[in-house]
Amino acid sequence: MMDLIIIIRPVILLASSILIILAAVGILRFKDDIERVLYARIHILGIADVACILALLVLGEPLLALTYFVLVPFVSHAITNAHYHGEGD
């Protein structure tokens, strides 16, 4: 059983790393002249959030992963809400 855990941990960390890199590339590909680009970027960062949560779980930090899982959607909503209401000003 321990051998299986030793094999699974690096695989999940590698998958998380690939998801984070893909999210970063996705953010850089968007141009700022596209309307509502912030919402697309927040969505792409959601992929990185899931990857970070998986990495934290694999590294044995379930409390930190749970905290991250709970707080990040609230922060994302606050950022997009502030952007939406601040556009007309």
Side-chain angles (χ1 to χ4, degrees):
M1 181 65 180
M2 194 60 161
D3 293 336
L4 185 63
I5 292 173
I6 291 173
I7 294 171
I8 290 176
R9 277 183 135 180
V11 170
I12 293 178
L13 283 175
L14 183 64
S16 298
S17 301
I18 290 170
L19 285 173
I20 291 170
I21 290 170
L22 288 175
V25 168
I27 288 172
L28 294 175
R29 287 187 60 195
F30 277 114
K31 305 289 184 235
D32 286 336
D33 59 348
I34 300 173
E35 189 173 329
R36 307 279 188 230
V37 73
L38 178 73
Y39 304 115
R41 285 184 176 170
I42 292 292
H43 176 70
I44 292 169
L45 288 174
I47 296 169
D49 293 337
V50 171
C52 289
I53 291 168
L54 284 174
L56 287 171
L57 288 173
V58 168
L59 293 173
E61 298 291 339
L63 186 59
L64 189 57
L66 179 66
T67 305
Y68 194 79
F69 180 74
V70 170
L71 292 179
V72 167
F74 291 113
V75 172
S76 298
H77 177 74
I79 290 170
T80 54
N81 198 21
H83 176 74
Y84 178 76
H85 291 295
E87 275 185 354
D89 296 339

